[in-house]
């Protein structure tokens, strides 16, 4: 028997239950992991609430990130062995491959031997934010040294990962945050500049920082009214990559800026990287190198025990965190 976390109806954090189940051994090409830590993501709160891009049958498990020790391997798995310390690449479907449990099963192709320098909590916090930021900034935008990149929702785990990745290629990271509460923390985390939305006019401030050439790359998780000032500060031929939709307000289509500057507005999901073996291998190599040399280091905000998963999800929805929320198992 192993304890797993499921929900039997959609709703708030209180619908999450810890249940004991009998798990089948890993099948061909699969690996079973004794979990030590879980990384929490907004996608899991959306799945639980019934508003995610994936619609689960009920009851459903959930979870995208885990780190632990291999307990057993299925037929045909050769590069991994019982006892290996590993972490999990987020699957295409967390309904099919849920991570919230003491014992979980994943395809061997999603299992990574992470650097020995990482503890369980850090390993569990790494893959979703760094893969998301890598796919946007490196694979799609081809961010270059000396370029300015604007990162909204900068205190999120993806935002902080994007700052680190920008710094790793010697780009100039501008963090955008709602209030000044997290301004100094963002500077300490590596942002070259921080723009506070409640205190500064966004387009004007970005133009001051970027200069007459403007901003070529924007990584946005918000949408809504912020689109117009963001595009107003962009350079000709710039690209705005949208990977979220945190704003509850309508998102205007900034037609004059798009036409006048021939801008690209591009939706993006991390599945573009995780679902493409060639791109995934390139991303893993980039991230593992950064984790090994310390250039990339997940920032963990709070750690909750497994039994307090409801409280962890409540905190996840509070938008108060700076970096990643982790659950120890």
């Amino acid at each position: 028997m192993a304890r797993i976390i499921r929900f039997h109806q959609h709703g708030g954090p209180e619908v999450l239950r810890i249940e004991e189940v009998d798990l089948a051994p890993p099948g061909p090409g699969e690996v079973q992991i004794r979990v030590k830590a879980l990384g929490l993501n907004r996608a899991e709160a959306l799945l639980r609430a019934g508003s995610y891009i994936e619609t689960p049958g009920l009851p459903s498990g959930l979870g995208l990130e885990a780190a632990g020790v291999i307990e057993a391997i299925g037929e045909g798995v050769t590069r991994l062995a019982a006892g290996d310390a590993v972490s999990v690449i987020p699957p295409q479907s967390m309904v099919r491959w849920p991570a919230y449990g003491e014992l979980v099963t994943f395809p061997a192709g999603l299992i990574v031997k992470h650097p020995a320098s990482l503890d369980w909590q850090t390993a569990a916090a790494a893959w979703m934010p760094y893969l998301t930021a890598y796919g946007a900034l490196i694979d799609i935008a081809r961010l270059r040294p000396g370029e300015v990149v604007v990162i909204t929702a900068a205190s999120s785990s993806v935002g902080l990962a994007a700052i680190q990745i920008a710094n790793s290629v010697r780009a100039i990271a501008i963090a955008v945050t709602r209030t000044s509460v997290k301004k100094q923390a963002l500077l300490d985390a590596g942002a070259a500049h921080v723009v506070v939305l409640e205190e500064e006019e966004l387009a004007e401030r970005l133009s001051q920082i970027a200069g007459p050439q403007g901003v070529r790359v924007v990584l946005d998780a918000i949408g809504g009214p912020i689109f117009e000032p963001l595009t107003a500060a962009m350079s000709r031929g710039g690209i705005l990559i949208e990977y979220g939709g945190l704003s509850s307000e309508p998102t205007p289509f900034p037609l004059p800026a798009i036409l006048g500057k021939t801008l690209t507005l591009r939706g993006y999901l991390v599945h573009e990287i995780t679902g493409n073996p060639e791109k995934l291998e390139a991303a893993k190599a980039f991230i593992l190198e950064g984790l090994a040399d310390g250039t990339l280091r997940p920032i963990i905000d709070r750690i909750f025990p497994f039994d307090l998963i409801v409280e962890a999800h409540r905190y996840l929805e509070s938008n108060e965190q700076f970096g990643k929320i982790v659950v120890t198992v």
Side-chain angles (χ1 to χ4, degrees), residues 262-320:
T262 61
L263 301 180
T264 297
L265 302 184
R266 192 194 192 289
Y268 163 66
L269 294 174
V270 72
H271 295 167
E272 295 182 47
I273 301 299
T274 59
N276 182 311
E278 184 177 346
K279 289 180 182 290
L280 180 58
E281 286 307 309
K284 284 163 58 178
F286 181 97
I287 294 165
L288 286 170
E289 180 180 354
L291 292 171
D293 67 18
T295 305
L296 305 181
R297 190 74 179 183
I299 295 175
I300 297 174
D301 179 82
R302 286 187 63 177
I303 299 174
F304 290 82
F306 189 77
D307 289 338
L308 295 184
I309 187 63
V310 171
E311 287 77 2
H313 264 242
R314 287 190 180 127
Y315 186 61
L316 177 67
E317 293 189 337
S318 72
N319 293 319
E320 295 176 359

Side-chain angles (χ1 to χ4, degrees), residues 23-239:
L23 292 180
E30 294 179 344
V31 171
Q32 201 159 72
I33 300 168
R34 179 68 59 179
V35 176
K36 300 294 185 180
L38 305 166
L40 268 58
N41 297 278
R42 184 166 295 276
E44 291 137 34
L46 294 173
L47 183 81
R48 186 208 69 226
S51 53
Y52 189 50
I53 56 174
E54 185 176 15
T55 302
L58 299 176
S60 176
L62 70 169
L64 290 162
E65 292 179 287
V69 178
I70 292 180
E71 183 113 330
I73 60 173
E75 182 182 350
V77 177
T78 57
R79 64 180 185 86
L80 299 165
D84 285 348
V86 296
S87 46
V88 175
I89 297 290
Q92 294 282 301
S93 169
M94 67 171 132
V95 174
R96 173 65 182 87
W97 307 104
Y100 283 16
E102 294 177 329
L103 198 63
V104 296
T105 302
F106 280 89
L110 295 179
I111 305 303
V112 180
K113 293 182 183 179
H114 54 253
S117 59
L118 300 190
D119 56 35
W120 297 121
Q121 293 86 0
T122 306
W127 288 106
M128 178 60 86
Y130 287 118
L131 283 168
T132 302
Y134 169 92
L137 299 185
I138 306 302
D139 184 70
I140 295 172
R142 305 293 181 185
L143 188 64
R144 299 185 289 264
E147 283 193 316
V148 171
V149 55
V150 175
I151 301 161
T152 69
S155 60
S156 68
S157 60
V158 173
L160 293 168
I163 291 171
Q164 293 180 10
I165 285 177
N167 288 338
S168 76
V169 298
R170 302 186 303 283
I172 300 166
I174 303 176
V176 177
T177 188
R178 186 172 57 85
T179 73
S180 60
V181 171
K182 299 174 182 177
K183 180 176 181 178
Q184 187 57 52
L186 286 165
L187 292 169
D188 294 342
H193 305 273
V194 177
V195 180
V196 179
L197 292 174
E198 288 188 352
E199 300 175 5
E200 302 172 273
E201 202 286 313
L202 181 58
E204 179 181 341
R205 182 69 181 116
L206 292 179
S207 296
Q208 288 174 353
I209 297 169
Q213 71 271 22
V215 175
R216 187 179 72 86
V217 181
V218 174
L219 180 62
D220 181 52
I222 299 174
I226 200 173
F227 252 47
E228 290 186 313
L230 285 173
T231 53
M234 291 178 69
S235 66
R236 178 173 295 275
I239 181 170

